Amino acid sequence: MILFQKNFINHTKGYCIWYDQCTTGDKPLNCFYNGPAKNLTDPEGVQILNSLCPELRGQHTCCSTEQLVALDENLQTMLELTNRCPACWNNIRRLYCQLTCSQDQSLFTNPNLVIPVSEGREAVVRVEYFVSPQFKQGLFESCKDLTLEGYTNLKLFCGTIGSDEKPECTPESMIRYMQSTESGLAPYAFDIYFPDILPRNLSWMNETTFKCNKPFIDPQSNKTANVCTCQDCVGSCPRRLEQLIITSTHPTPTGYRRYGDGKWIPFGPMFHLELLNQALDLQNAITNLKVPFGDSSVTFADICFKPTGHLPFAPNTTERCEIQSVFQYFQNNKTKLNKCLTSLGYNCSDPSLLDFKAADFHDHLLSCTRCPSCSMDSRLKEPCISAFGGVINPKLVLGGYPYDVYQNATTLMIYFAVNNYKDESKLAEVITWEKAFKEFMADYVNNTAHANLTIAYFTPELRSNDVEVQFDLRA
């Protein structure tokens, strides 16, 4: 294969660097063309352009129908992975629409390597795409918190973060990884480089980016898009959290013999069933607090943050509240926490002579920490999705475990998300409830009946006053 470097390109407004396709396959190469943008008249191409790249509606383009069909098909994986976060999807879509079709394509791209193909045509195999630092940062901020459900240590567009092999995620590393063959996300087979220095004869591609925590008019639907969920956008999370950090006062590891092969599976000291029941009782007591307020009362359900876009497992108002807790793997239900099944599907308290114990909370915790988004645990026959419909990241609710062996955790962490209202009258309800929460917790931790647990509790006020208890949450 002979490669040619293009030394002179006409970087002029209204000019292209490619048009149409010169090869076949899943991800064909585009034909080098350094001429004026063309009028797209094919109905199929116009329909895809208007749907996928509405910002370019009615303009001449640097892409043919074949290129648009390929782009639409190759962006489907991106769409499926980002459908919970419209801002991220729209920013990615704009990145590739501008590159592929913009009538001013030559102003912010440079095709510096081509190969000859049949009939005297050349195909672009390497292009420099001059994306502005502002766009890179906006894209990064809208997508950086996205996680692949079930694999919570995988950042979708940065690769595995925190490992020895991968550096910290940055706008530059994210955009490079997205386009790499390693990611499996790139819609093109040719190489794209994103230079940091802009030559004098070129301009930045600097389309407006959308923020993941702000509603916006979606160009594709012309309707207001939802903000991204808290799990995919830190900025969408409430600015108020009540937090519990719970450990065993006399930590003794536990475990169980796995049903089937009898292998001993060790668990951390907080996974004694009686301690789990006690901690869940505490969590439920907090959510059931009813506090006098004026002529009425205020409850957690009145002030809690209720995520949108989720389908709760139960319609009860309190269960729509976002509570980040290991007990969400059991939908905060004590019956499910204490559930035990035999091999024939009966309750363990009433097995037949030919039956034996087959699954309990140990199995469910192992399943849910491996796959938090799984709809059903095959052993205990219960879902892992939380009561409010969100996915619970084990890294947020467990601490003190080595590596990612979550069942060896020594610490439970529970977060109660509360709305941080700007309206003073609504905020007064929150502050009243938080005061009652602090009083309740002070009584709880000073009660000798609960001496088997060591509990630190936090409210926004306590954090701002630097009142805290230190725990080593990671081994």
Side-chain angles (χ1 to χ4, degrees), residues 28-46:
L29 296 176
N30 297 328
C31 301
F32 174 72
Y33 166 73
N34 192 205
K38 299 184 179 184
N39 186 23
L40 183 67
T41 58
D42 178 67
E44 182 184 9
V46 171

Side-chain angles (χ1 to χ4, degrees), residues 62-234:
C62 292
C63 60
S64 65
T65 296
E66 288 73 19
Q67 286 174 282
L68 281 163
V69 169
L71 179 65
D72 189 36
E73 291 176 351
N74 292 328
L75 282 180
Q76 287 306 304
T77 299
M78 288 281 199
L79 175 59
E80 291 170 6
L81 294 175
T82 61
N83 60 9
R84 299 192 309 263
C85 192
C88 176
W89 159 245
N90 272 275
N91 292 335
I92 290 173
R93 180 186 60 75
R94 284 186 158 189
L95 176 74
Y96 288 111
C97 281
Q98 291 295 318
L99 170 63
T100 307
C101 293
S102 172
Q103 64 181 359
D104 297 322
Q105 184 187 63
S106 70
L107 292 181
F108 47 77
T109 58
N110 186 46
N112 55 7
L113 208 59
V114 300
I115 58 171
V117 291
S118 60
E119 301 176 1
R121 304 171 84 185
E122 296 173 319
V124 177
V125 294
R126 188 170 73 191
V127 63
E128 294 174 314
Y129 188 11
F130 293 88
V131 178
S132 73
Q134 294 89 342
F135 188 95
K136 288 180 185 176
Q137 187 67 38
L139 174 66
F140 174 75
E141 293 295 337
S142 68
C143 298
K144 66 182 175 69
D145 297 317
L146 273 171
T147 55
L148 182 60
E149 292 186 352
Y151 299 91
T152 52
N153 65 334
L154 180 71
K155 293 289 184 179
L156 283 182
F157 302 126
C158 285
T160 303
I161 303 304
S163 69
D164 294 335
E165 295 81 17
K166 294 287 182 181
E168 183 181 359
C169 191
T170 65
E172 289 72 24
S173 66
M174 188 185 79
I175 203 168
R176 285 196 302 268
Y177 179 76
M178 282 171 54
Q179 186 51 39
S180 69
T181 55
E182 177 188 358
S183 72
L185 302 172
Y188 299 117
F190 53 83
D191 294 327
I192 302 178
Y193 292 86
F194 299 91
D196 296 324
I197 299 175
L198 185 70
R200 289 185 178 181
N201 60 335
L202 290 172
S203 304
W204 292 119
M205 192 291 288
N206 193 27
E207 285 287 295
T208 301
T209 55
F210 301 110
K211 296 183 178 181
C212 63
N213 64 332
K214 301 290 184 183
F216 62 94
I217 302 299
D218 190 327
Q220 289 186 288
S221 65
N222 205 30
K223 297 179 181 178
T224 301
N226 292 328
V227 298
C228 306
T229 61
C230 178
Q231 75 185 76
D232 294 320
C233 174
V234 171

Side-chain angles (χ1 to χ4, degrees), residues 109-370:
T109 58
N110 186 46
N112 55 7
L113 208 59
V114 300
I115 58 171
V117 291
S118 60
E119 301 176 1
R121 304 171 84 185
E122 296 173 319
V124 177
V125 294
R126 188 170 73 191
V127 63
E128 294 174 314
Y129 188 11
F130 293 88
V131 178
S132 73
Q134 294 89 342
F135 188 95
K136 288 180 185 176
Q137 187 67 38
L139 174 66
F140 174 75
E141 293 295 337
S142 68
C143 298
K144 66 182 175 69
D145 297 317
L146 273 171
T147 55
L148 182 60
E149 292 186 352
Y151 299 91
T152 52
N153 65 334
L154 180 71
K155 293 289 184 179
L156 283 182
F157 302 126
C158 285
T160 303
I161 303 304
S163 69
D164 294 335
E165 295 81 17
K166 294 287 182 181
E168 183 181 359
C169 191
T170 65
E172 289 72 24
S173 66
M174 188 185 79
I175 203 168
R176 285 196 302 268
Y177 179 76
M178 282 171 54
Q179 186 51 39
S180 69
T181 55
E182 177 188 358
S183 72
L185 302 172
Y188 299 117
F190 53 83
D191 294 327
I192 302 178
Y193 292 86
F194 299 91
D196 296 324
I197 299 175
L198 185 70
R200 289 185 178 181
N201 60 335
L202 290 172
S203 304
W204 292 119
M205 192 291 288
N206 193 27
E207 285 287 295
T208 301
T209 55
F210 301 110
K211 296 183 178 181
C212 63
N213 64 332
K214 301 290 184 183
F216 62 94
I217 302 299
D218 190 327
Q220 289 186 288
S221 65
N222 205 30
K223 297 179 181 178
T224 301
N226 292 328
V227 298
C228 306
T229 61
C230 178
Q231 75 185 76
D232 294 320
C233 174
V234 171
S236 292
C237 299
R239 292 171 294 283
R240 300 189 82 93
L241 286 174
E242 324 302 327
Q243 181 183 5
L244 302 181
I245 300 177
I246 306 174
T247 60
S248 174
T249 304
H250 305 290
T252 303
T254 182
Y256 83 126
R257 295 203 177 276
R258 186 167 57 196
Y259 313 117
D261 61 6
K263 181 180 179 180
W264 176 256
I265 308 296
F267 274 69
M270 271 307 300
F271 291 107
H272 291 277
L273 186 56
E274 64 272 18
L275 295 184
L276 291 175
N277 275 286
Q278 185 178 345
L280 178 53
D281 285 339
L282 171 59
Q283 175 183 304
N284 290 337
I286 291 170
T287 59
N288 290 328
L289 282 176
K290 190 172 184 179
V291 183
F293 182 77
D295 297 331
S296 184
S297 60
V298 61
T299 66
F300 179 67
D302 296 325
I303 61 169
C304 72
F305 176 72
K306 302 179 181 71
T308 58
H310 292 307
L311 180 63
F313 266 82
N316 181 282
T317 304
T318 302
E319 290 178 335
R320 292 179 184 269
C321 297
E322 179 165 336
I323 302 171
Q324 294 285 336
S325 164
V326 72
F327 301 114
Q328 289 283 16
Y329 294 141
F330 304 88
Q331 293 76 54
N332 306 321
N333 186 301
K334 285 193 70 175
T335 300
K336 293 183 179 182
L337 175 63
N338 292 278
K339 182 177 179 179
C340 178
L341 292 181
T342 68
S343 62
L344 296 178
Y346 295 106
N347 191 292
C348 291
S349 62
D350 188 29
S352 70
L353 294 176
L354 300 178
D355 211 353
F356 57 89
K357 190 175 181 180
D360 65 6
F361 74 96
H362 295 97
D363 302 276
H364 193 60
L365 284 170
L366 290 172
S367 295
C368 293
T369 52
R370 291 191 190 112

Side-chain angles (χ1 to χ4, degrees), residues 362-437:
H362 295 97
D363 302 276
H364 193 60
L365 284 170
L366 290 172
S367 295
C368 293
T369 52
R370 291 191 190 112
C371 182
S373 64
C374 286
S375 58
M376 192 62 63
D377 163 20
S378 61
R379 283 179 171 264
L380 201 61
K381 312 299 182 186
E382 294 291 347
C384 295
I385 298 292
S386 69
F388 67 85
V391 176
I392 300 299
N393 186 340
K395 293 181 183 294
L396 294 180
V397 298
L398 297 172
Y401 49 84
Y403 307 105
D404 283 343
V405 186
Y406 301 114
Q407 69 267 22
N408 286 341
T410 61
T411 306
L412 304 185
M413 294 176 285
I414 303 176
Y415 303 88
F416 303 87
V418 176
N419 282 307
N420 197 20
Y421 295 109
K422 293 183 179 179
D423 181 274
E424 291 188 3
S425 61
K426 293 294 292 181
L427 186 59
E429 294 183 10
V430 173
I431 293 173
T432 299
W433 187 90
E434 287 179 340
K435 181 180 178 181
F437 164 76

